[in-house]
Amino acid sequence: MRSRIAALGVVLALSTAALGVTVVVLGLTTTPPSQPQASGVQMDAAGTAFPTAEDQCYIEGMIPHHEQALELSGLVLGATGVRERTRALAEFIVADQTTEIETMRAWQQAWRQAVPAETTTASGHGAHAGGHGADAIAPGSAVAPACGDHPHAQMKGMATAAQLEALDAAEGPAADRMFLELMIAHHEGALEMAEAAVRGGSNAYVRTSAKHVLVEQDREITAMTELLAEAP
């Protein structure tokens, strides 16, 4: 049985050069949003200095969601007898979502630096001006946004521990098919999260990131559905 730690080591060892290779194989060409800058309070081109709770909770939910996509990809890349097209897709997901995680973490850091220390909580996040949707998180507030009560906290599409263990133990066509089934469900969950961020968010970077997810992961679902139909 492959250990999950070893599989994740494969993920981390993959260079972003794999992105160029797998783009050619799969025809997936969308570009992740550029990394936000940490300087100053004005954090986006749309003129929104302080994000909404929807913005912040999207980032807090999508980072671990993407991290599990890396785990799923690492497990199938560590399996034997997996089709080359499935491996190429997994490598593309690793390259694309690793970049997205890095830029989302940079956004978090920029946001934390933009909020005066006296208005942050022990968790390090800015305070919530009240409610979700268009309500901005701004200095002078007293309560941090309750992302634990937010719909994104449901982490739609996440594989269970038992499913991860089953994929870890699988080889050949079984691993190939299981990965595709789990990743399709995982991507569908990400699409729901991204749609909510586009509807309810106001921060330009967050909206751009969510739109990238909507386009890219929809394309990947199409590619995976075709691969699943062709699976032995």
Side-chain angles (χ1 to χ4, degrees), residues 22-226:
T22 49
V23 161
V24 173
V25 174
L26 297 168
L28 303 173
T29 58
T30 61
T31 303
S34 58
Q35 185 161 311
Q37 299 299 314
S39 58
V41 173
Q42 199 70 21
M43 290 169 52
D44 64 67
T48 302
F50 295 97
T52 63
E54 190 77 40
D55 294 319
Q56 186 177 351
C57 293
Y58 168 77
I59 295 295
E60 291 188 0
M62 194 58 82
I63 288 175
H65 204 274
H66 275 20
E67 287 173 340
Q68 190 182 81
L70 300 188
E71 183 174 12
L72 289 166
S73 298
L75 291 173
V76 78
L77 289 171
T80 59
V82 174
R83 290 173 295 170
E84 285 305 311
R85 289 176 62 200
T86 301
R87 293 180 61 83
L89 176 64
E91 289 170 354
F92 179 86
I93 289 171
V94 168
D96 187 58
Q97 296 201 22
T98 295
T99 299
E100 289 184 40
I101 289 170
E102 290 171 354
T103 56
M104 285 189 284
R105 290 197 185 283
W107 183 89
Q108 281 185 322
Q109 184 63 28
W111 160 236
R112 291 169 187 174
Q113 290 179 9
V115 179
E118 62 269 20
T119 64
T120 60
T121 65
S123 66
H125 297 303
H128 184 199
H132 290 169
D135 296 325
I137 306 170
S141 304
V143 183
C147 292
D149 298 326
H150 195 273
H152 291 163
Q154 297 174 11
M155 301 297 287
K156 293 181 180 295
M158 293 287 279
T160 66
Q163 288 171 324
L164 291 171
E165 290 176 4
L167 180 58
D168 188 17
E171 300 287 352
D176 194 311
R177 177 177 289 276
M178 193 179 304
F179 166 75
L180 294 170
E181 291 172 344
L182 291 175
M183 192 62 81
I184 287 171
H186 197 270
H187 275 19
E188 287 172 344
L191 292 183
E192 289 191 33
M193 295 166 68
E195 286 170 2
V198 170
R199 287 195 308 268
S202 66
N203 182 269
Y205 165 71
V206 172
R207 288 172 58 83
T208 299
S209 175
K211 288 175 183 177
H212 170 75
V213 168
L214 288 174
V215 173
E216 191 57 66
Q217 297 203 20
D218 183 66
R219 289 182 178 184
E220 291 170 17
I221 288 172
T222 298
M224 288 187 290
T225 300
E226 292 173 357

